[in-house]
Amino acid sequence: MINQYEVPAYIEDHIPALKKALHQFPAIFHIYDTVGCFSEYTDRQLREQNFPIAGKCLQLAGKLYERGNEVVKGAITRVFVPALSKVPLGDAVNRIRIYGLIPDAIYGLYIQQQLIHNGNR
């Protein structure tokens, strides 16, 4: 089980581009700041349609949710998924592509957040 103190190193191991960003604040003690930084990076990759890197980020988020303790799961649920649901999906092709990148572990949470974010239309 991954605890909140292991998350920064876990992210750095899988996404080396975030090493510097995660060290700008004492992330080891601030799981929500860490996940926020990770969310922003993922958001940027999706907006720039850098799908290989975005997919890697989304898979990592799924692993953190699956393998994380309750604090880590809470951070993914409260920070990462809401940020992900605010990413514009664009046309149908991009929408399908983004949906296909979201791992099963967080897909249900994403859909719930989409319903909340879009006013449950």
Side-chain angles (χ1 to χ4, degrees), residues 100-112:
L101 293 174
I102 300 171
D104 292 342
I106 61 171
Y107 190 80
L109 297 169
Y110 172 76
I111 295 300
Q112 284 179 321

PDB file of all heavy atoms in Angstrom, residues 100-112:
ATOM      1  N   GLY A 100     -10.708   6.733 -23.488  1.00  0.00           N
ATOM      2  CA  GLY A 100      -9.940   5.497 -23.600  1.00  0.00           C
ATOM      3  C   GLY A 100      -8.666   5.490 -22.776  1.00  0.00           C
ATOM      4  O   GLY A 100      -8.145   4.422 -22.452  1.00  0.00           O
ATOM      5  N   LEU A 101      -8.166   6.652 -22.423  1.00  0.00           N
ATOM      6  CA  LEU A 101      -6.942   6.745 -21.626  1.00  0.00           C
ATOM      7  C   LEU A 101      -7.194   6.603 -20.125  1.00  0.00           C
ATOM      8  O   LEU A 101      -6.285   6.277 -19.373  1.00  0.00           O
ATOM      9  CB  LEU A 101      -6.252   8.095 -21.874  1.00  0.00           C
ATOM     10  CG  LEU A 101      -5.685   8.339 -23.262  1.00  0.00           C
ATOM     11  CD1 LEU A 101      -5.162   9.776 -23.368  1.00  0.00           C
ATOM     12  CD2 LEU A 101      -4.580   7.345 -23.579  1.00  0.00           C
ATOM     13  N   ILE A 102      -8.408   6.857 -19.707  1.00  0.00           N
ATOM     14  CA  ILE A 102      -8.721   6.858 -18.270  1.00  0.00           C
ATOM     15  C   ILE A 102      -8.815   5.417 -17.778  1.00  0.00           C
ATOM     16  O   ILE A 102      -9.609   4.630 -18.287  1.00  0.00           O
ATOM     17  CB  ILE A 102     -10.029   7.616 -17.990  1.00  0.00           C
ATOM     18  CG1 ILE A 102      -9.904   9.064 -18.468  1.00  0.00           C
ATOM     19  CG2 ILE A 102     -10.380   7.565 -16.499  1.00  0.00           C
ATOM     20  CD1 ILE A 102     -11.182   9.856 -18.442  1.00  0.00           C
ATOM     21  N   PRO A 103      -8.012   5.064 -16.776  1.00  0.00           N
ATOM     22  CA  PRO A 103      -8.026   3.684 -16.281  1.00  0.00           C
ATOM     23  C   PRO A 103      -9.327   3.354 -15.543  1.00  0.00           C
ATOM     24  O   PRO A 103      -9.992   4.233 -14.993  1.00  0.00           O
ATOM     25  CB  PRO A 103      -6.820   3.620 -15.341  1.00  0.00           C
ATOM     26  CG  PRO A 103      -6.552   5.017 -14.955  1.00  0.00           C
ATOM     27  CD  PRO A 103      -7.031   5.890 -16.081  1.00  0.00           C
ATOM     28  N   ASP A 104      -9.652   2.082 -15.546  1.00  0.00           N
ATOM     29  CA  ASP A 104     -10.876   1.607 -14.898  1.00  0.00           C
ATOM     30  C   ASP A 104     -10.965   2.033 -13.437  1.00  0.00           C
ATOM     31  O   ASP A 104     -12.059   2.315 -12.946  1.00  0.00           O
ATOM     32  CB  ASP A 104     -10.972   0.077 -14.966  1.00  0.00           C
ATOM     33  CG  ASP A 104     -11.178  -0.429 -16.382  1.00  0.00           C
ATOM     34  OD1 ASP A 104     -11.578   0.376 -17.254  1.00  0.00           O
ATOM     35  OD2 ASP A 104     -10.935  -1.631 -16.618  1.00  0.00           O
ATOM     36  N   ALA A 105      -9.839   2.079 -12.758  1.00  0.00           N
ATOM     37  CA  ALA A 105      -9.831   2.390 -11.323  1.00  0.00           C
ATOM     38  C   ALA A 105     -10.448   3.752 -11.009  1.00  0.00           C
ATOM     39  O   ALA A 105     -11.044   3.934  -9.948  1.00  0.00           O
ATOM     40  CB  ALA A 105      -8.402   2.326 -10.772  1.00  0.00           C
ATOM     41  N   ILE A 106     -10.307   4.712 -11.933  1.00  0.00           N
ATOM     42  CA  ILE A 106     -10.848   6.049 -11.667  1.00  0.00           C
ATOM     43  C   ILE A 106     -11.933   6.464 -12.672  1.00  0.00           C
ATOM     44  O   ILE A 106     -12.476   7.555 -12.570  1.00  0.00           O
ATOM     45  CB  ILE A 106      -9.736   7.125 -11.601  1.00  0.00           C
ATOM     46  CG1 ILE A 106      -8.972   7.231 -12.914  1.00  0.00           C
ATOM     47  CG2 ILE A 106      -8.815   6.867 -10.420  1.00  0.00           C
ATOM     48  CD1 ILE A 106      -8.007   8.412 -12.980  1.00  0.00           C
ATOM     49  N   TYR A 107     -12.269   5.588 -13.603  1.00  0.00           N
ATOM     50  CA  TYR A 107     -13.247   5.940 -14.634  1.00  0.00           C
ATOM     51  C   TYR A 107     -14.612   6.263 -14.028  1.00  0.00           C
ATOM     52  O   TYR A 107     -15.248   7.252 -14.394  1.00  0.00           O
ATOM     53  CB  TYR A 107     -13.366   4.828 -15.673  1.00  0.00           C
ATOM     54  CG  TYR A 107     -14.182   5.235 -16.872  1.00  0.00           C
ATOM     55  CD1 TYR A 107     -13.613   6.012 -17.882  1.00  0.00           C
ATOM     56  CD2 TYR A 107     -15.514   4.870 -16.995  1.00  0.00           C
ATOM     57  CE1 TYR A 107     -14.346   6.409 -18.979  1.00  0.00           C
ATOM     58  CE2 TYR A 107     -16.261   5.258 -18.096  1.00  0.00           C
ATOM     59  CZ  TYR A 107     -15.680   6.025 -19.080  1.00  0.00           C
ATOM     60  OH  TYR A 107     -16.407   6.420 -20.171  1.00  0.00           O
ATOM     61  N   GLY A 108     -15.078   5.454 -13.096  1.00  0.00           N
ATOM     62  CA  GLY A 108     -16.364   5.697 -12.448  1.00  0.00           C
ATOM     63  C   GLY A 108     -16.387   7.021 -11.708  1.00  0.00           C
ATOM     64  O   GLY A 108     -17.375   7.763 -11.767  1.00  0.00           O
ATOM     65  N   LEU A 109     -15.283   7.335 -11.024  1.00  0.00           N
ATOM     66  CA  LEU A 109     -15.173   8.616 -10.320  1.00  0.00           C
ATOM     67  C   LEU A 109     -15.206   9.776 -11.316  1.00  0.00           C
ATOM     68  O   LEU A 109     -15.819  10.804 -11.057  1.00  0.00           O
ATOM     69  CB  LEU A 109     -13.868   8.672  -9.520  1.00  0.00           C
ATOM     70  CG  LEU A 109     -13.706   7.660  -8.395  1.00  0.00           C
ATOM     71  CD1 LEU A 109     -12.272   7.672  -7.874  1.00  0.00           C
ATOM     72  CD2 LEU A 109     -14.702   7.930  -7.285  1.00  0.00           C
ATOM     73  N   TYR A 110     -14.540   9.583 -12.449  1.00  0.00           N
ATOM     74  CA  TYR A 110     -14.511  10.610 -13.493  1.00  0.00           C
ATOM     75  C   TYR A 110     -15.918  10.874 -14.029  1.00  0.00           C
ATOM     76  O   TYR A 110     -16.329  12.032 -14.167  1.00  0.00           O
ATOM     77  CB  TYR A 110     -13.565  10.175 -14.619  1.00  0.00           C
ATOM     78  CG  TYR A 110     -13.615  11.067 -15.828  1.00  0.00           C
ATOM     79  CD1 TYR A 110     -12.998  12.313 -15.821  1.00  0.00           C
ATOM     80  CD2 TYR A 110     -14.303  10.679 -16.976  1.00  0.00           C
ATOM     81  CE1 TYR A 110     -13.045  13.146 -16.933  1.00  0.00           C
ATOM     82  CE2 TYR A 110     -14.354  11.501 -18.090  1.00  0.00           C
ATOM     83  CZ  TYR A 110     -13.729  12.733 -18.057  1.00  0.00           C
ATOM     84  OH  TYR A 110     -13.786  13.558 -19.155  1.00  0.00           O
ATOM     85  N   ILE A 111     -16.656   9.822 -14.312  1.00  0.00           N
ATOM     86  CA  ILE A 111     -18.016   9.972 -14.842  1.00  0.00           C
ATOM     87  C   ILE A 111     -18.906  10.673 -13.816  1.00  0.00           C
ATOM     88  O   ILE A 111     -19.674  11.579 -14.170  1.00  0.00           O
ATOM     89  CB  ILE A 111     -18.605   8.610 -15.275  1.00  0.00           C
ATOM     90  CG1 ILE A 111     -17.806   8.034 -16.449  1.00  0.00           C
ATOM     91  CG2 ILE A 111     -20.088   8.735 -15.615  1.00  0.00           C
ATOM     92  CD1 ILE A 111     -17.787   8.896 -17.701  1.00  0.00           C
ATOM     93  N   GLN A 112     -18.793  10.286 -12.549  1.00  0.00           N
ATOM     94  CA  GLN A 112     -19.561  10.960 -11.496  1.00  0.00           C
ATOM     95  C   GLN A 112     -19.239  12.444 -11.466  1.00  0.00           C
ATOM     96  O   GLN A 112     -20.123  13.286 -11.356  1.00  0.00           O
ATOM     97  CB  GLN A 112     -19.252  10.355 -10.128  1.00  0.00           C
ATOM     98  CG  GLN A 112     -19.897   9.037  -9.867  1.00  0.00           C
ATOM     99  CD  GLN A 112     -19.522   8.513  -8.496  1.00  0.00           C
ATOM    100  OE1 GLN A 112     -18.389   8.643  -8.054  1.00  0.00           O
ATOM    101  NE2 GLN A 112     -20.487   7.908  -7.832  1.00  0.00           N
TER     102      GLN A 112
END
